[in-house]
Amino acid sequence: MTDMAAMQAKIMQGSDMQGKNIKELISAEDYAVVDAELKQLVGAGLDQLGAFKPMLLQTMYASMVYFKSQNLTRQPEAVDVLFQKAAKDNNKSVIGLETIEQQAAILFDSLPLNRQAEVLVKSVKEKQKGIDLLKRLNEAYLAGNLVKLDEIDKEDDDLTPTERRPLYEGRNNQWIKQLPAMMKKQSCFVAVGCMHLIGGSGLITQFRKAGYKVEAMDKL
């Protein structure tokens, strides 16, 4: 993430529906509901955003809903960027576990477009449910309660277990192949989203199965 503008351009390019529009994927009634919500939260409606893949819009929408629920007036600096700045300040090298292109493919191409549209509409219509879920997930994570985090995650029915597999299990399996070689060379600080830590396919379980000793740290 050395060039944020270039990264964002790649994400936008990877999420373009190449001539298609969300009007072809959802009913006129659902189009009106989603359009109104996006205009209110993002400041742009489906006339401007309808050519992008629905999962990009869903990600954008869910983020903005949560920011608003926390009374944030602007998006906070990404955690990834904070870690990179800390690494630079301490003369540490930074290695990405996947490329922007790989990430965009996983996030925006794992589901058919019509299914992505269903997820977007559901997310908009069940806005409060999403806010409550994210709040509980955040509380469980800050409390260090990964068991509770796993339980809450399983309540999320936006995607089926099969649909979620590429997002979590598939990526975990790729990372677990890369990390041991890096860790043999030097000590490493590995930063991943909290959902990559939980469950049988989570990194913690996979490291333990591979013979590593994994312990929680007390708050610093």
Side-chain angles (χ1 to χ4, degrees):
M1 294 173 60
T2 53
D3 188 336
M4 294 296 291
M7 184 191 77
Q8 290 172 350
K10 288 181 180 180
I11 290 176
M12 300 303 279
Q13 183 179 8
S15 59
D16 191 307
M17 285 200 285
Q18 304 297 325
K20 291 183 178 293
N21 192 284
I22 198 169
K23 283 184 178 179
E24 306 166 38
L25 303 174
I26 60 178
S27 68
E29 180 183 353
D30 287 341
Y31 184 96
V33 171
V34 174
D35 182 57
E37 276 290 305
L38 288 176
K39 284 178 178 175
Q40 179 185 354
L41 281 172
V42 184
L46 291 177
D47 283 347
Q48 298 100 316
L49 302 173
F52 291 109
K53 293 175 182 175
M55 287 306 292
L56 173 70
L57 303 185
Q58 193 275 339
T59 302
M60 181 191 308
Y61 175 75
S63 298
M64 293 300 295
V65 165
Y66 189 67
F67 294 155
K68 187 174 181 180
S69 75
Q70 298 299 302
N71 297 316
L72 297 173
T73 56
R74 61 184 179 86
Q75 181 171 332
E77 191 168 30
V79 173
D80 313 60
V81 175
L82 293 175
F83 282 131
Q84 286 192 167
K85 286 182 177 178
K88 184 178 180 181
D89 290 343
N90 289 276
N91 297 314
K92 304 292 185 181
S93 61
V94 179
I95 301 171
L97 293 176
E98 59 193 11
T99 66
I100 293 299
E101 291 83 358
Q102 288 172 328
Q103 190 173 74
I106 293 167
L107 297 177
F108 307 132
D109 295 333
S110 294
L111 297 178
L113 292 176
N114 62 332
R115 177 63 179 131
Q116 292 186 34
E118 290 178 0
V119 174
L120 171 62
V121 172
K122 185 175 185 295
S123 181
V124 170
K125 290 184 174 180
E126 298 180 357
K127 177 170 68 174
Q128 189 58 48
K129 178 182 175 182
I131 292 172
D132 294 342
L133 188 74
L134 281 172
K135 181 181 178 181
R136 290 167 59 212
L137 285 171
N138 196 41
E139 289 172 350
Y141 174 72
L142 292 176
N145 192 339
L146 297 187
V147 174
K148 187 66 175 178
L149 199 66
D150 194 19
E151 291 174 358
I152 298 170
D153 180 52
K154 288 174 180 173
E155 295 178 25
D156 185 358
D157 60 357
D158 282 353
L159 301 178
T160 68
T162 300
E163 290 171 340
R164 292 157 71 88
R165 193 164 293 134
L167 299 175
Y168 300 127
E169 182 177 341
R171 297 165 81 192
N172 292 345
N173 291 343
Q174 289 301 313
W175 297 345
I176 206 73
K177 295 175 183 177
Q178 301 176 51
L179 291 169
M182 298 179 190
M183 291 158 55
K184 283 181 181 179
K185 293 180 180 178
Q186 59 192 19
S187 62
C188 296
F189 181 94
V190 182
V192 298
C194 63
M195 294 311 186
H196 294 287
L197 303 177
I198 62 177
S201 66
L203 294 180
I204 291 175
T205 297
Q206 293 212 49
F207 271 122
R208 285 177 173 158
K209 286 181 177 178
Y212 289 84
K213 183 178 180 180
V214 183
E215 295 179 321
M217 287 182 63
D218 292 331
K219 290 182 179 179
L220 299 178

